[in-house]
Amino acid sequence: MDSNTGEASDARRAAIITALREGVRRVDELADCCGVSPMTIRRDLQFLEEQGAVRRIRGGAVPVDTWTFEHRLGRGAEAKWRIAEKLLPLVPDQGGIGLDGSSTAHHLALALQSRTPRDLTAVTTGLETFHRLSRIPGVRAYSTGGSSDVDTGSLVGPLAQLTLQQFALETCFLSATYLDPALGSTEFTAEEATVKRAMVTVSKRTVLAVDSTKLNRHAVAKCLGLDEVDLLVTELAPDDATLTPYRELVEIL
């Protein structure tokens, strides 16, 4: 029988909010995540809606608020720093690079502060990343502009795409909501996927950086096939068994 009392209910409802913030929306998916019945999830969603924490939609719910960038930056920080250390040697001293609005790409911008590029142009869809890049000597930083994606905080939309068309970049550094061997990278929203594809279009090389918690999962919006990715970077060693499904599909660092 499903538990609906005391600490178990509180813990489950906290897990539901976490899952909603990570992009899970449907009642059946929430039930799988929490190991309870859909009926229990519906009762929890009703309770959470009455508390003002979620808004129910057909077949599921959405969070009323979204995680702040600072919260996302702190999640899995150790893995993201290891990824940034691998990415840093791939950044040239001059030329052009692109960074998406992910917290993983932001860690690369933070790591770049340890270097002094000669004449590096960096364009990004992340406002926080733009502000960080603009403080680094030798870096000419550009923000794409656009509207803020409500789920990710990244800049998206026609203005962001139009801005990217003005650049010819050597390398773009992207992350993903999730990565699946068959589906490739996926995002919470089609708008996020579209602007990332626009950055790939103007870049000679595409580096996809994801921590291992994002592997073998997928969100709703397809973004890049692994045949469109030149290099996959995780915090894991390239020969780690977790990466076996990807090893014949893409070069791994």
Side-chain angles (χ1 to χ4, degrees):
M1 179 177 295
D2 295 328
S3 173
N4 281 297
T5 60
E7 293 182 2
S9 294
D10 292 340
R12 187 178 62 251
R13 289 163 182 163
I16 288 171
I17 292 174
T18 297
L20 290 173
R21 285 170 170 165
E22 290 185 336
V24 179
R25 296 288 183 258
R26 294 177 54 84
V27 166
D28 56 348
E29 293 173 334
L30 292 167
D32 288 341
C33 288
C34 296
V36 296
S37 72
M39 183 178 294
T40 295
I41 294 297
R42 291 189 183 94
R43 288 196 294 263
D44 285 336
L45 292 177
Q46 180 177 351
F47 176 87
L48 291 169
E49 186 174 50
E50 291 170 354
Q51 300 298 309
V54 308
R55 176 171 58 86
R56 286 191 291 176
I57 59 175
R58 183 172 182 177
V62 294
V64 170
D65 64 339
T66 55
W67 270 329
T68 64
F69 184 78
E70 289 74 18
H71 187 107
R72 291 193 292 118
L73 197 63
R75 295 185 74 232
E78 184 177 346
K80 291 172 185 176
W81 275 118
R82 288 201 294 269
I83 291 171
E85 290 173 353
K86 290 184 176 184
L87 295 178
L88 191 58
L90 305 178
V91 178
D93 283 333
Q94 55 188 352
I97 63 170
L99 295 88
D100 66 11
S102 66
S103 56
T104 302
H106 190 79
H107 275 81
L108 174 57
L110 293 171
L112 193 57
Q113 295 175 122
S114 65
R115 286 179 38 187
T116 305
R118 290 200 304 272
D119 185 18
L120 181 65
T121 295
V123 58
T124 179
T125 59
L127 280 176
E128 293 85 357
T129 302
F130 165 73
H131 291 309
R132 179 61 58 183
L133 290 167
S134 65
R135 300 189 190 108
I136 302 175
V139 175
R140 185 180 293 106
Y142 292 90
S143 167
T144 60
S147 58
S148 178
D149 187 296
V150 295
D151 284 310
T152 67
S154 297
L155 297 171
V156 298
L159 179 58
Q161 297 173 52
L162 181 62
T163 300
L164 286 167
Q165 291 172 14
Q166 313 311 308
F167 291 89
L169 305 175
E170 292 297 321
T171 303
C172 64
F173 297 92
L174 307 177
S175 190
T177 298
Y178 295 127
L179 183 65
D180 177 84
L183 294 175
S185 70
T186 54
E187 304 295 338
F188 287 149
T189 68
E191 291 79 9
E192 178 82 359
T194 298
V195 78
K196 289 188 180 186
R197 286 196 295 267
M199 187 175 285
V200 169
T201 299
V202 299
S203 303
K204 290 183 180 178
R205 180 171 65 161
T206 298
V207 176
L208 185 64
V210 294
D211 67 75
S212 57
T213 65
K214 298 181 177 183
L215 298 176
N216 306 319
R217 303 170 69 182
H218 66 86
V220 297
K222 289 185 179 181
C223 188
L224 300 176
L226 283 171
D227 59 338
E228 300 174 275
V229 175
D230 296 293
L231 186 64
L232 173 63
V233 181
T234 76
E235 83 278 15
L236 305 174
D239 59 355
D240 191 290
T242 306
L243 297 171
T244 298
Y246 303 88
R247 198 161 290 120
E248 295 186 1
L249 302 174
V250 63
E251 182 180 352
I252 299 174
L253 178 62

